[in-house]
């Protein structure tokens, strides 16, 4: 069964637009879990344009499902991980100035010691995920450096899905099957929504988890949060 982790960054963005505490992020996390979400994801960026440092610690104190903290593994981020020890840590290659995580790690532009970082995080007890494109070479690399899971960047899938869904999913099926063969679990995320999620799940039944934020929050404007979460869960069942 594929798990749904709700990324609450956009909820924090909405709150930050007016200041104050409306919507209340901690309450939203509680409600997401009550409505069936099996995980909560946050991406604390240096400029705190969505979730803040305080948010991350506040959520850590109340979250009951799997807590996934994603981000670029700089000194600030690694301190958060050491303090909180979340269930899952997703390492993404985007530096602070990038708007969103829209590309996977590539061996050609690695400038951090991912192997050493992953070793240290795993000693704490967290599962570690690296964010990659559907690339066999990078799956081998993930295995080599000790990653427990990969998260496939699905922005390309979502874009191509509108043109030809069979073609759009081919690289993801091949990559996921290969990861399964060598013992690495597969997560997926970016631009997944109620239109394309069901087909991805049907094509790759063994996906461990999807992380969805932007589209889910947009749908909630029309459907309400509870109905939206249940609709996404239905796509995964």
């Amino acid at each position: 069964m594929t798990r749904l982790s709700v990324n609450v960054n956009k909820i924090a963005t909405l709150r930050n637009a007016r200041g104050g505490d409306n919507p209340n992020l901690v309450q939203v996390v509680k409600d997401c879990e009550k409505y069936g979400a099996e995980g909560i994801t946050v991406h604390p960026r240096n400029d705190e344009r969505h979730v803040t440092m305080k948010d991350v610690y506040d959520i850590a104190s109340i979250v009951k499902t799997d807590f996934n903290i994603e981000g670029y593994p700089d000194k600030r981020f690694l301190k958060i991980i050491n303090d909180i020890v979340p269930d899952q840590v997703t390492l993404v290659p985007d530096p602070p100035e990038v708007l969103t995580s829209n590309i996977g790690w590539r061996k050609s532009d690695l400038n951090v010691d991912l192997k050493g970082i992953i070793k240290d995080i795993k000693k704490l007890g967290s599962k570690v995920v690296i964010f990659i494109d559907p690339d066999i070479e990078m799956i081998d690399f993930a295995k080599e450096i000790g990653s427990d899971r990969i998260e496939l960047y699905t922005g390309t899938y979502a874009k191509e899905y509108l043109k030809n869904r069979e073609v759009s999913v081919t690289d993801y099926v091949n990559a996921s099957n290969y990861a399964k063969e060598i013992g690495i679990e597969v997560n997926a995320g970016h631009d997944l929504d109620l239109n394309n999620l069901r087909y991805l799940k049907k094509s790759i039944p063994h996906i461990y988890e999807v992380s969805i934020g932007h589209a889910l929050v947009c749908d909630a404007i029309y459907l309400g949060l509870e109905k939206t979460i249940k609709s996404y869960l239905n796509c995964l069942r």
Side-chain angles (χ1 to χ4, degrees):
M1 183 176 72
T2 301
R3 302 165 56 88
L4 172 66
S5 183
V6 176
N7 187 319
V8 296
N9 279 11
K10 284 299 186 293
I11 300 295
T13 302
L14 176 61
R15 176 204 59 194
N16 294 349
R18 286 289 296 269
D21 197 28
N22 186 25
N24 182 281
L25 196 59
V26 166
Q27 186 59 51
V28 170
V29 167
K30 291 178 179 179
D31 289 337
C32 285
E33 293 182 321
K34 181 173 70 175
Y35 300 149
E38 293 134 327
I40 298 295
T41 293
V42 296
H43 187 151
R45 295 181 181 274
N46 287 24
D47 61 7
E48 298 194 332
R49 62 179 179 263
H50 31 61
V51 294
T52 66
M53 287 281 281
K54 182 177 184 301
D55 290 330
V56 178
Y57 288 89
D58 287 348
I59 292 171
S61 70
I62 60 92
V63 66
K64 297 183 183 301
T65 57
D66 277 9
F67 192 24
N68 172 43
I69 302 179
E70 63 180 27
Y72 184 79
D74 56 15
K75 184 176 180 180
R76 170 183 171 274
F77 179 80
L78 294 176
K79 181 182 185 306
I80 296 171
I81 301 307
N82 274 273
D83 288 348
I84 292 176
V85 190
D87 302 282
Q88 182 173 264
V89 178
T90 300
L91 304 178
V92 298
D94 53 323
E97 67 273 10
V98 173
L99 179 64
T100 186
S101 303
N102 59 5
I103 192 171
W105 289 100
R106 296 176 180 174
K107 292 179 74 172
S108 60
D109 60 11
L110 284 176
N111 57 1
V112 294
D113 178 20
L114 279 183
K115 186 172 184 177
I117 290 169
I118 289 173
K119 182 179 179 181
D120 290 342
I121 293 174
K122 290 177 72 170
K123 283 181 182 178
L124 299 172
S126 301
K127 295 287 187 180
V128 183
V129 186
I130 65 166
F131 189 71
I132 64 171
D133 298 304
D135 183 309
I136 299 299
E137 180 185 20
M138 287 307 296
I139 296 172
D140 283 332
F141 179 68
K143 179 76 170 181
E144 175 189 329
I145 63 176
S147 183
D148 298 293
R149 299 172 184 139
I150 56 171
E151 179 175 343
L152 294 176
Y153 165 66
T154 48
T156 304
Y157 160 74
K159 182 179 179 180
E160 295 301 319
Y161 178 86
L162 299 174
K163 304 174 185 177
N164 186 320
R165 69 178 192 174
E166 288 80 11
V167 172
S168 71
V169 82
T170 299
D171 288 344
Y172 292 87
V173 171
N174 293 337
S176 298
N177 287 341
Y178 182 72
K180 183 179 180 182
E181 287 176 10
I182 66 172
I184 294 182
E185 292 181 311
V186 178
N187 292 352
H190 202 88
D191 289 342
L192 295 176
D193 58 29
L194 291 175
N195 295 315
N196 60 41
L197 180 59
R198 189 184 302 275
Y199 185 71
L200 183 73
K201 166 64 177 177
K202 178 182 177 181
S203 302
I204 312 171
H206 59 272
I207 291 178
Y208 177 78
E209 178 181 280
V210 293
S211 175
I212 305 177
H214 182 82
L216 189 149
V217 172
C218 291
D219 290 329
I221 293 173
Y222 292 94
L223 303 176
L225 185 60
E226 180 174 8
K227 185 175 180 180
T228 296
I229 288 176
K230 293 186 184 306
S231 295
Y232 276 90
L233 290 169
N234 186 50
C235 288
L236 297 173
R237 300 295 184 261

